[in-house]
Amino acid sequence: MGCNELIVCENVSLGYEGQSVLTGLNLTIRAGDYLCIVGDNGSGKSTLLRGLLGLIAPQSGTIRRASELEKGAVGYLPQQTKAQKDFPATVFEVVLSGCLNRKGMRFFYTAAQKSEALMNMGKLGILELKGQSYRDLSGGQQQRVLLARALCAASRLLILDEPITGLDPAAAQDLYKTLTYLNEKEGMAVVMVTHDLKASLRSARTVLHIGRRGTFLGTPAEYLASPMGRRFQEEQS
Amino acid sequence: MNILQMFSYPFMQRALIAGVLVSLCAALLGVSLVLKRYSMIGDGLSHVSFGALAIAVALRVAPLWFSIPVVILAAFLLLRVADNPRWNSDAAIAVMSASSLAIGILVISLTTGMTTDVDNYMFGSVLAMTKTDVALAVVLCAAVLMLFILFYHKLFAITFDENFSRATGLKVSRYNTLLAILTALTIVLGMRMMGAMLISSLVIFPALTAMRLFRSFRGVVVCAAVTSVLCFCAGLTISFAFSTPVGATVVAANLTLFLLSCLFRLLRR
């Protein structure tokens, strides 16, 4: 695979226990891409993310991932769990845990890793929250903390699962701006599963719609003009 | 009665050493279990260990060597159930608890009869700790401390966010299994002193208390360990001085500290 290719899916089928939720998918994610994955509930968006992350193997076809991804250098932003909401941990502790994948056999963090964590916190404007407890933050701040952790883990690819769930409109706006910044200025590839069609299509360069009647892959403009896009828009509004 | 006099009895020395070590292990493991929402697993395991103990006594085999594998097996099973979204995990744990209790009581009443033994298993006895128990507690405690010192950062990452940890290449299920095994061992060891009905509080209370007092993970871990050991020592001393059952006294000490920490948190707001 080419050096700027991060993930290449060829004719991939994904699913659980013999049941496919997604078939015949061809998708290439390159450095600097901005891909939005949309689709109905239960259409297999989360399953696709798990496949991209290497957590499940495809039932058929191949998913090739760049060697750095195989080593765990993925900036993953999972959906928040209930248990995290009241988790006693400082912001610094959480962000620093993103560096774990490069710790190797060492048991403690190096000074370089600590300063990298601080740098990523600065980038996302949460440096002054360093000693605060994660559970005392607002939803938007928590999302920034998790994003800073993701930046510690990866330099080329962010994968986000419904990142604006539970955020107020202003915080959601903020998050989109940050993602655009990271994508345009830092060359981070962004792959995002989302329900928020309007806002996400403004920044995305590619859309993947997963539906029960097949998939669509193209630019936002092409998507909005396609029958699939039109129907999905109507259902949303 | 003099406090020093209390430790002139060998059984009290054994109870103190084993109890302190088991409380320390329970508190450390408890932080992870409580934060991962696995508290009920601790409770389920203590009931299973009661059933296992009853069967071991009926079969006249050494209780520890019989209970340990059974409870570890149960821990595996409960973890599987808890992680499988298709299972109703709290119902499964409740069913397992009640069944183990019922089997244990049936076995006891069919063999030795409902004697004071049952009472001791259920609510603990300070006399229960043997030299083997103390030795095992030392080994267990060393293992738990090593896990928490060497793999502290990994444990934090897995406790905070399993999905992220898995995606960034941590072997999450390996750590979960290790936690389950160590928890099972802690419960089996502590159960005869603390009682099957009370041992799970040793896992849960210190973590809850510490979560109310500290805002960092490190603070919570250290605080849970310290409160757990303190409460055990206080409970043991009080139970000796006032001839109360040791398990219940230790739980009462934990409860007191927990209520105080709730009050402290309310006042701080």
Side-chain angles (χ1 to χ4, degrees):
Chain A
M1 63 199 284
C3 68
N4 72 343
E5 285 175 343
L6 294 170
I7 303 179
V8 180
C9 301
E10 276 166 358
N11 204 15
V12 164
S13 299
L14 285 164
Y16 296 100
E17 288 163 20
Q19 264 195 328
S20 305
V21 284
L22 193 66
T23 50
L25 177 76
N26 289 297
L27 174 69
T28 303
I29 296 164
R30 294 186 182 80
D33 274 0
Y34 196 134
L35 170 71
C36 261
I37 302 173
V38 295
D40 317 309
N41 284 333
S43 58
K45 292 175 302 209
S46 296
T47 312
L48 174 60
L49 275 200
R50 294 177 68 78
L52 296 179
L53 288 165
L55 297 177
I56 51 171
Q59 291 171 325
S60 65
T62 53
I63 299 179
R64 281 179 293 138
R65 289 146 38 88
S67 61
E68 70 191 69
L69 300 188
E70 295 293 347
K71 288 184 201 125
V74 190
Y76 180 38
L77 205 86
Q79 289 188 42
Q80 287 223 48
T81 60
K82 233 190 338 185
Q84 277 170 6
K85 293 244 150 55
D86 65 342
F87 200 97
T90 63
V91 167
F92 193 47
E93 281 179 316
V94 174
V95 175
L96 205 49
S97 70
C99 296
L100 259 185
N101 56 357
R102 277 168 296 136
K103 219 151 66 72
M105 278 312 287
R106 266 177 289 112
F107 297 120
F108 304 98
Y109 295 113
T110 62
Q113 286 168 336
K114 284 184 188 163
S115 60
E116 190 188 336
L118 290 173
M119 202 184 74
N120 285 325
M121 286 161 69
K123 211 181 273 176
L124 293 173
I126 50 167
L127 201 53
E128 69 273 23
L129 302 177
K130 185 181 169 219
Q132 288 212 30
S133 198
Y134 181 80
R135 62 183 171 197
D136 299 334
L137 305 180
S138 70
Q141 288 170 326
Q142 288 184 339
Q143 222 44 317
R144 277 168 180 273
V145 172
L146 297 186
L147 200 54
R149 176 183 68 169
L151 290 182
C152 284
S155 52
R156 293 213 293 170
L157 176 62
L158 282 177
I159 294 185
L160 305 97
D161 195 355
E162 311 259 6
I164 61 147
T165 310
L167 296 191
D168 59 63
Q173 262 318 310
D174 234 35
L175 186 74
Y176 284 122
K177 262 190 217 150
T178 310
L179 289 177
T180 307
Y181 170 84
L182 290 171
N183 177 252
E184 284 173 1
K185 299 284 189 273
E186 312 242 326
M188 273 281 193
V190 175
V191 174
M192 173 164 64
V193 165
T194 184
H195 269 114
D196 183 23
L197 198 58
K198 261 193 205 131
S200 54
L201 289 192
R202 240 175 276 145
S203 34
R205 277 195 294 279
T206 326
V207 183
L208 174 66
H209 179 113
I210 308 175
R212 291 192 187 84
R213 278 160 286 183
T215 56
F216 172 92
L217 182 65
T219 65
E222 287 167 356
Y223 174 63
L224 291 176
S226 72
M228 222 174 204
R230 277 205 299 270
R231 195 167 51 238
F232 195 59
Q233 263 180 305
E234 278 161 23
E235 281 167 19
Q236 285 236 315
S237 55
Chain B
M1 187 160 306
N2 192 323
I3 288 191
L4 283 176
Q5 199 188 333
M6 154 180 155
F7 297 111
S8 58
Y9 301 100
F11 77 87
M12 283 301 280
Q13 293 166 4
R14 289 197 299 268
L16 180 73
I17 299 171
V20 163
L21 296 175
V22 165
S23 322
L24 185 63
C25 294
L28 290 175
L29 298 166
V31 170
S32 219
L33 292 179
V34 168
L35 287 172
K36 282 156 90 99
R37 299 291 193 267
Y38 284 167
S39 308
M40 281 309 288
I41 291 187
D43 202 52
L45 289 182
S46 62
H47 288 79
V48 174
S49 67
F50 171 82
L53 187 61
I55 294 172
V57 171
L59 296 175
R60 293 178 205 290
V61 293
L64 269 189
W65 306 127
F66 183 78
S67 307
I68 287 174
V70 171
V71 179
I72 286 179
L73 200 73
F76 269 112
L77 208 69
L78 287 180
L79 259 189
R80 274 293 133 72
V81 170
D83 283 339
N84 193 331
R86 254 174 273 175
W87 276 75
N88 182 349
S89 67
D90 54 342
I93 293 172
V95 163
M96 202 162 177
S97 297
S99 316
S100 310
L101 207 56
I103 291 170
I105 291 177
L106 278 178
V107 168
I108 293 172
S109 64
L110 286 177
T111 51
T112 55
M114 298 290 267
T115 56
T116 46
D117 283 358
V118 184
D119 197 51
N120 281 346
Y121 298 163
M122 291 264 211
F123 306 110
S125 155
V126 73
L127 297 167
M129 286 310 186
T130 63
K131 277 198 176 131
T132 322
D133 294 329
V134 176
L136 261 176
V138 171
V139 174
L140 173 70
C141 195
V144 171
L145 282 179
M146 207 142 84
L147 176 75
F148 267 81
I149 291 170
L150 295 181
F151 299 103
Y152 172 80
H153 295 294
K154 289 185 180 164
L155 280 179
F156 167 74
I158 291 169
T159 309
F160 181 71
D161 194 338
E162 275 195 14
N163 291 322
F164 179 82
S165 303
R166 214 171 265 134
T168 50
L170 278 184
K171 304 273 178 286
V172 172
S173 49
R174 208 180 283 173
Y175 283 91
N176 280 343
T177 308
L178 196 58
L179 277 181
I181 291 177
L182 291 173
T183 308
L185 288 173
T186 307
I187 283 171
V188 170
L189 263 177
M191 173 200 145
R192 274 163 313 141
M193 180 161 52
M194 291 292 297
M197 301 295 106
L198 300 170
I199 179 72
S200 57
S201 67
L202 228 51
V203 175
I204 297 159
F205 265 126
L208 288 182
T209 303
M211 277 168 71
R212 270 151 193 80
L213 297 177
F214 283 83
R215 51 177 70 177
S216 71
F217 187 68
R218 191 182 298 265
V220 168
V221 168
V222 173
C223 174
V226 171
T227 44
S228 181
V229 170
L230 280 182
C231 285
F232 179 78
C233 292
L236 186 66
T237 313
I238 294 168
S239 87
F240 187 77
F242 297 96
S243 308
T244 50
V246 62
T249 317
V250 171
V251 174
N254 271 301
L255 174 66
T256 311
L257 218 56
F258 171 69
L259 292 176
L260 284 177
S261 70
C262 291
L263 191 69
F264 177 78
R265 196 182 184 183
L266 266 177
L267 290 178
R268 202 170 52 177
R269 274 196 181 155

